[in-house]
Amino acid sequence: MSDLINPHFGTQTESQLQVLNEISAICASIECKFWLRGGWAIDFLLGKVTRPHDDIDLITWIQNREQLEQALAEAGFEQTPVNEQFRGRQSDFRKDDVDITFGYITSTNDGSLIMNGLPEWVWRSDSLLLQSLMLKGITALVLSPRQLLEEKEVYEQIGRKPRPKDEDSKKILHRIIAELN
C-alpha cells in the first residue's frame, strides 16, 4: 500500500489505511455496516488523502456493538477505556498504533436518528450515505457532507474550541456541498 500514499504523510497514514481495510473486512464478515466520519470521511468524499489524520472515526448501529467488539478483539484490536460520559455512545480501540473510535447511533420512537444516549442531538435524515466510496482500494460508506459539517458546528456550539483542521474541514465541506447543489 505504500506506493499509494503521499510520502509526506508517512507511515501513520499507511497504517491507518491498513487498519481501516481490516475493519472493513471484519465488518463485512459479521454483516455490520459502518460509516466513516471526521477527516477520513472527507478524504473518501474527495477521493484522495488530503492530510495526516490522528485516528479513524466510525459510526455504526448500537445493536452491532457486542458482536463488533468481540470480532475486533478476536482480530487483535485492543479495546481502550472510554471516558465515562461517552461509554454508551462509543467504543475505542487501538491496533498497530492506530486509534479507532466507533460511535453508536440508534433510531428514536419517531424514527429520528441520534447518537445512542444523546437524544438532544438529532441527526439529519440524510446523514447516512447509501453509496460506497473508494479510496486507495478501500471501499467504505461515509456520513453525508451536510452531517459532517453540522457535527463541526455542533462541537463549536457546545464549547469545543475549533482547531485549524476543523476550519479547513468546514471550508472543504462547504465546497463539496456547493458542488452537490
Side-chain angles (χ1 to χ4, degrees):
M1 211 176 265
S2 60
D3 60 325
L4 302 173
I5 306 301
N6 181 328
H8 299 290
F9 296 157
T11 58
Q12 179 180 354
T13 298
E14 186 173 332
S15 293
Q16 288 174 348
L17 285 169
Q18 288 172 346
V19 166
L20 181 57
N21 194 41
E22 187 175 354
I23 289 169
S24 184
I26 291 166
C27 285
S29 74
I30 61 171
E31 298 181 8
C32 169
K33 277 188 179 180
F34 69 85
W35 289 262
L36 285 166
R37 73 193 286 204
W40 277 113
I42 292 171
D43 283 1
F44 270 74
L45 286 164
L46 294 172
K48 63 182 179 181
V49 179
T50 60
R51 64 175 177 82
H53 301 284
D54 297 328
D55 56 10
I56 301 171
D57 293 308
L58 306 134
I59 294 292
T60 192
W61 296 99
I62 186 65
Q63 57 265 33
N64 295 329
R65 184 177 194 156
E66 189 175 317
Q67 186 179 20
L68 175 66
E69 287 178 349
Q70 181 178 350
L72 290 171
E74 289 171 1
F77 286 74
E78 173 194 357
Q79 192 160 2
T80 58
V82 175
N83 237 337
E84 187 172 337
Q85 70 188 56
F86 301 122
R87 286 195 185 131
R89 297 195 294 257
Q90 74 185 52
S91 296
D92 292 348
F93 296 90
R94 186 165 180 80
K95 185 167 188 185
D96 300 333
D97 292 326
V98 175
D99 293 317
I100 306 110
T101 295
F102 269 95
Y104 298 107
I105 54 174
T106 190
S107 294
T108 63
N109 290 339
D110 69 2
S112 297
L113 186 63
I114 61 167
M115 285 294 286
N116 190 59
L118 196 60
E120 57 273 15
W121 183 17
V122 177
W123 283 26
R124 300 177 54 84
S125 61
D126 63 354
S127 296
L128 307 176
L129 293 183
L130 302 175
Q131 181 180 353
S132 294
L133 301 175
M134 183 175 281
L135 178 65
K136 307 296 182 195
I138 301 168
T139 303
L141 295 166
V142 301
L143 293 182
S144 74
R146 287 178 177 89
Q147 178 64 31
L148 293 167
L149 180 59
E150 188 174 294
E151 286 189 19
K152 295 292 182 191
E153 292 168 348
V154 164
Y155 289 149
E156 288 178 38
Q157 291 167 8
I158 62 172
R160 179 169 147 187
K161 185 177 169 120
R163 303 163 294 185
K165 68 180 182 178
D166 294 327
E167 294 303 322
D168 292 342
S169 293
K170 285 171 49 175
K171 289 176 190 171
I172 292 167
L173 290 165
H174 278 293
R175 189 176 72 236
I176 291 170
I177 292 166
E179 290 171 5
L180 292 174
N181 292 333

